[in-house]
């Protein structure tokens, strides 16, 4: 690993832990993504994490806060754009019809996208609005 990659890995670790400590499973390889999609039944929240400010101030806090909702997905996973590139690319393959966007969130059921929140619906929104977007989808699909 070159010094830049080592630095980015070190700096992104707290950003990863912000979701994993809340119960999200981190998928770091294409194989882990494939295994998750093919074997997981029920509803899943997928967070495509990133190092940008809107991920830090909006997406991760909203994803964590949404977990306190009465209705919520059965599974929570995350991939890290810019860090685990291959895993992120593979997850995006499953988000067919949606432009690559980071951060972003998708609600899946049995591997199929039910609801998608692109960066454009995260950036310039309040955490409460994003939580509302997620909980509305949870109430509809979970």
């Amino acid at each position: 690993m070159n010094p830049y990659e080592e630095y980015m890995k070190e700096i992104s670790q707290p950003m990863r832990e912000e979701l994993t400590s809340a119960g999200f499973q981190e998928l770091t390889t294409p194989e882990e993504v494939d295994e998750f999609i093919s074997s997981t039944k029920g509803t899943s929240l997928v967070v495509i994490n990133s190092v940008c400010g809107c991920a830090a101030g909006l997406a991760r806090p909203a994803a964590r806060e949404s977990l306190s909702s009465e209705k919520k997905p059965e599974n929570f996973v995350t991939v890290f754009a810019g860090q685990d590139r291959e895993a992120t690319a593979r997850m995006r393959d499953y988000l067919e019809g949606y432009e690559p966007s980071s951060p972003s969130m998708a609600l899946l059921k049995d591997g199929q996208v039910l609801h998608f929140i692109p960066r454009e619906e995260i950036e310039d929104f309040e955490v409460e609005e994003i939580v509302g977007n997620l909980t509305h989808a949870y109430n509809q699909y979970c």
Side-chain angles (χ1 to χ4, degrees):
M1 191 177 300
N2 70 41
Y4 173 76
E5 290 170 336
E6 188 62 39
Y7 171 76
M8 289 307 295
K9 182 177 181 185
E10 185 179 312
I11 204 165
S12 67
Q13 192 56 40
M15 299 171 204
R16 293 172 182 275
E17 289 170 0
E18 197 172 342
L19 292 177
T20 58
S21 68
F24 282 80
Q25 175 190 354
E26 192 170 42
L27 306 175
T28 60
T29 67
E31 294 78 20
E32 288 175 351
V33 171
D34 289 339
E35 174 65 22
F36 175 80
I37 293 292
S38 66
S39 68
T40 303
K41 299 297 175 214
T43 53
S44 304
L45 176 63
V46 175
V47 175
I48 298 182
N49 199 356
S50 75
V51 298
C52 73
C54 65
L58 300 169
R60 289 192 299 269
R64 286 193 335 268
E65 192 174 317
S66 79
L67 302 185
S68 63
S69 178
E70 196 173 305
K71 280 189 170 184
K72 60 186 171 197
E74 298 153 271
N75 309 287
F76 310 96
V77 296
T78 181
V79 293
F80 208 115
Q83 300 299 302
D84 302 319
R85 288 183 173 94
E86 294 85 8
T88 303
R90 183 63 54 86
M91 182 60 78
R92 286 178 171 151
D93 288 343
Y94 290 106
L95 305 177
E96 219 176 310
Y98 296 94
E99 289 294 316
S101 177
S102 52
S104 61
M105 301 179 210
L107 183 62
L108 310 180
K109 183 168 187 176
D110 301 335
Q112 300 301 308
V113 180
L114 300 173
H115 186 74
F116 187 78
I117 303 174
R119 179 185 179 110
E120 294 76 34
E121 293 178 31
I122 295 171
E123 198 174 37
D124 300 326
F125 284 77
E126 297 295 323
V127 169
E128 296 74 23
E129 293 173 302
I130 302 162
V131 171
N133 188 336
L134 287 168
T135 56
H136 178 74
Y138 298 168
N139 288 334
Q140 187 174 354
Y141 299 112
C142 297

